[in-house]
Amino acid sequence: VEMGRSCIKIPLRRYNEVMKVINSSNEHVISIGASFNTEADSHLVCVQSKDGIYHTQANSATGHPRKVTGASFVVFNGALKTSSGFLAKSSIVEDGLMVQITPETMESLRQALRDKKDFKITCGKMDAGDTKEYVDICWVENDEEKTNKGILSPVDGKSMEGAQSEKVLQGGDFETEGKIMKCTEVYYFQKDHELSSPVPHQFAKEIAIACNTALCPHLKTLKNSGMNKIGLRVSIDSDKVEYLAGSGGQLLPQNYLNELDSALIPVIHGGMSDPTSLPLEMELIFFLIEHLF
């Protein structure tokens, strides 16, 4: 968000996710979450006061003038009536941006998103002359080098910067003695080629289930040993299959690896059945949590 202009940058590699939003939302509203903007010198935050009222603040980087402000989400509301006298309205809501547009503009926006085309929304009163504000929706090239900056692998401390990642919604819990193991995220490493399309979600899910099954009987011992975050890196090529499992930058003890062998190797070999997806390297992140009551 800048003075007189707001820009929503959508990476081309997120096209499928945008289409999921478009296809699952109702005709009047499109709501999109945003990543933290490292280029902004300030960021919108929503603060709740003691009396329960929410208000918006902009937290600024120390020593920087506030020129570009990052937002956490954008909502396009297509219920603005032409009789309102406005072309469109743009406003700050909590820590995000609300853009009110007419149904006609909403239809054009949806089509532009489907076609991967940039789209400009002019905000302000119809008779306001040149005093307009603009909301620009821009498709940008895959900006991989800035993704997951500062994230390190629990397996061996390898940097995750540049790796494509996605959150994992685990279907069921793997629980032993009040300790629960959950796969929360998977990282995909590209080796001199674009990641296969579609992304191997199902294969990653099968590996997560196999790992959970193998380690579930040992959750109490793992947690007592301080291994609350575990990484499982799987590498597959036409002539090679291997995996590494670790926590805190150290490989898991051999007794855990023996059990992982039995559970993982059949699943990994099954993943080699599709040679078009090879080579493939990915890392799954697991957290060990427990019931407090």
Side-chain angles (χ1 to χ4, degrees), residues 172-185:
D173 288 340
F174 289 80
E175 181 175 351
T176 302
E177 298 183 58
K179 310 293 188 292
I180 302 170
M181 186 172 183
K182 282 183 177 289
C183 180
T184 61
E185 198 156 7

Side-chain angles (χ1 to χ4, degrees), residues 23-289:
N23 295 330
S24 62
S25 60
N26 67 51
E27 59 182 315
H28 300 298
V29 178
I30 298 175
S31 180
I32 300 176
S35 302
F36 182 79
N37 188 346
T38 57
E39 299 175 6
D41 46 54
S42 59
H43 210 282
L44 296 176
V45 293
C46 184
V47 181
Q48 183 180 16
S49 58
K50 290 182 180 179
D51 54 6
I53 297 174
Y54 292 91
H55 64 277
T56 302
Q57 290 181 187
N59 281 4
S60 303
T62 305
H64 287 267
R66 207 170 83 202
K67 294 182 179 179
V68 180
T69 303
S72 297
F73 65 87
V74 59
V75 175
F76 297 99
N77 186 329
L80 184 67
K81 292 180 171 58
T82 52
S83 59
S84 67
F86 282 87
L87 296 165
K89 290 182 180 180
S90 173
S91 56
I92 301 296
V93 178
E94 297 181 352
D95 56 345
L97 185 69
M98 167 75 79
V99 185
Q100 299 178 62
I101 55 180
T102 63
E104 293 78 15
T105 304
M106 173 63 85
E107 188 176 336
S108 298
L109 171 60
R110 286 176 176 273
Q111 192 57 51
L113 291 173
R114 289 191 181 96
D115 296 339
K116 296 185 186 177
K117 291 183 178 179
D118 294 352
F119 192 79
K120 181 184 286 289
I121 298 171
T122 304
C123 301
K125 290 189 175 181
M126 294 179 181
D127 56 358
D130 294 333
T131 57
K132 299 286 194 303
E133 293 186 8
Y134 300 94
V135 175
D136 290 323
I137 295 91
C138 308
W139 291 93
V140 295
E141 289 296 328
N142 297 350
D143 197 5
E144 295 287 359
E145 70 275 4
K146 293 182 180 178
T147 59
N148 296 310
K149 189 172 184 179
I151 304 296
L152 301 179
S153 165
V155 175
D156 54 8
K158 176 181 178 178
S159 172
M160 298 295 204
E161 185 171 348
Q164 181 178 334
S165 64
E166 61 179 356
K167 301 294 182 184
V168 176
L169 295 176
Q170 184 170 299
D173 288 340
F174 289 80
E175 181 175 351
T176 302
E177 298 183 58
K179 310 293 188 292
I180 302 170
M181 186 172 183
K182 282 183 177 289
C183 180
T184 61
E185 198 156 7
V186 58
Y187 295 83
Y188 299 98
F189 301 96
Q190 299 174 351
K191 290 185 175 181
D192 304 320
H193 76 297
E194 285 297 316
L195 190 63
S196 62
S197 183
V199 177
H201 305 286
Q202 184 59 33
F203 183 45
K205 183 178 179 181
E206 290 171 2
I207 289 178
I209 292 172
C211 182
N212 278 323
T213 302
L215 296 182
C216 193
H218 310 286
L219 296 188
K220 184 176 181 180
T221 306
L222 287 165
K223 190 120 182 24
N224 291 342
S225 302
M227 299 181 190
N228 299 317
K229 181 180 180 182
I230 296 174
L232 174 67
R233 187 181 308 150
V234 177
S235 302
I236 306 176
D237 208 337
S238 55
D239 58 350
K240 181 190 73 171
V241 176
E242 66 179 17
Y243 76 86
L244 296 171
S247 179
Q250 303 290 326
L251 295 180
L252 294 185
Q254 188 60 47
N255 59 307
Y256 299 118
L257 299 181
N258 292 338
E259 298 212 20
L260 282 171
D261 278 347
S262 301
L264 284 175
I265 289 178
V267 176
I268 294 174
H269 277 285
M272 297 182 67
S273 59
D274 180 12
T276 61
S277 64
L278 304 181
L280 174 65
E281 183 178 8
M282 59 184 176
E283 182 163 331
L284 291 80
I285 304 298
F286 299 83
F287 278 94
L288 273 61
I289 57 179

